[in-house]
Amino acid sequence: MLKGVVEAKPTDPISTYFDELYRALAAVRVSDNEGKPLDMQAGFEWVADTARAAHKAGNKVVLIGNGGSAAIASHHAIEFLKNGGIRAVSLNDPAALTCLSNDLGYANVFSEQLKLQGLPGDLLLAISSSGQSVNILKAVEVARANRMKIVTLSGFQPDNLLRGRGDVNFYVNSNQYGFVEVAHHALIQAILDIYVFPRRSM
């Protein structure tokens, strides 16, 4: 090596990965149904207060998603129910999905369930990394028609079709599925840990 030349240190892929995950989480944006910005605390409190109000009124929280987002939906449905004491359900039952997709097409697997199960005053959490999933968008339309409250969690493009269709919208500014999905999971978990069952020791 030439004298006086400092050899560049090799990039640490682990540090780079977690730096990018931190950046994605720090760059989350929250907005209302008119696109007006909300601060994170206001968004979190709205979700927690609306979930509690739904339960108190005899309603429920409904969670939907595809793939990794389906796993997030299932995970947090039981978190709301078991640890939060709030009625919650994920619409990812295999028999329902295979039946409805076979008979009516996959685009309708969530909207058809909401037509029968969605009630005025229920709270829908619609999770889509891309914000472009047709079955999620159709479910949101049905939820709105059924006078349900709606929260969306999306990522990728800032003008994705899902962002802005909820009463409160969480957007993760990343084009990588892993970062968007981890951020969505963390956002819902934070709402639960901080505002729904704050009795947990931090």
Side-chain angles (χ1 to χ4, degrees), residues 68-81:
S69 299
I72 295 169
S74 293
H75 175 97
H76 288 298
I78 197 62
E79 286 272 7
F80 271 105
L81 184 68

Side-chain angles (χ1 to χ4, degrees), residues 22 32 37 47 54 65 73 80 94 97 99-100 104 111 114 137 140 159-160 164 177 179 186 202:
Y22 174 81
D32 66 13
V47 177
F80 271 105
L97 295 183
C99 170
L100 293 171
L104 302 172
S111 57
L114 284 179
L137 295 168
V140 168
D159 60 349
N160 72 68
Y177 273 105
F179 293 134
M202 300 299 289

Side-chain angles (χ1 to χ4, degrees), residues 15 62 88 91 105 108 197 201:
S15 295
V62 181
L91 301 184
N108 300 300
F197 34 86
S201 59

